[in-house]
Amino acid sequence: MIKIFQVSGLSMQPLYPDKSFIIILKQFFKIKIGNIYVIKHPDYGFIIKRLIDFDSEKYWFSSNNKLGMDHNSIGPQFKSDLVGKVILNLKIPIFKR
């Protein structure tokens, strides 16, 4: 199953600009360091971050640039927090005013 999310914020620029859209795969994805995922964070809600490390129980994510949260700010996440893997990036906002 796929789902569309809109990027909000600057933490994943330049790869994912603010207000651009991404498509995620919600099932059947392989977890791999370096891939981008949408996670449901207990404090921040849905966030888009890069996986930087994991072990058998915990996953650590970080932003793409200095404007965003680092792995210490995000804290360890669990597999149940993973919403999906980003599979398509629509870099330009679809709706412009």
Side-chain angles (χ1 to χ4, degrees):
M1 183 158 82
I2 64 170
K3 187 165 183 160
I4 298 172
F5 280 86
Q6 185 173 24
V7 177
S8 176
L10 306 175
S11 69
M12 296 302 287
Q13 284 192 0
L15 188 58
Y16 301 98
D18 185 34
K19 299 190 181 0
S20 61
F21 290 86
I22 58 170
I23 297 175
I24 66 164
L25 182 63
K26 292 186 69 169
Q27 301 172 349
F28 309 115
F29 58 86
K30 183 176 179 181
I31 298 171
K32 183 178 172 185
I33 291 174
N35 285 346
I36 307 293
Y37 297 90
V38 171
I39 57 175
K40 186 167 184 187
H41 193 278
D43 297 326
Y44 305 115
F46 293 106
I47 57 176
I48 303 161
K49 300 295 171 199
R50 182 178 302 279
L51 181 65
I52 59 168
D53 198 10
F54 69 95
D55 60 27
S56 61
E57 295 180 13
K58 297 177 186 170
Y59 297 80
W60 286 269
F61 294 88
S62 189
S63 297
N64 267 0
N65 66 46
K66 297 176 187 176
L67 298 173
M69 298 178 281
D70 66 6
H71 68 283
N72 292 318
S73 300
I74 298 169
Q77 302 299 300
F78 300 94
K79 189 170 186 173
S80 60
D81 300 323
L82 290 174
V83 177
K85 176 185 171 187
V86 176
I87 59 170
L88 184 62
N89 176 11
L90 305 172
K91 290 186 179 186
I92 300 171
I94 293 175
F95 304 106
K96 289 189 176 183
R97 292 184 180 172

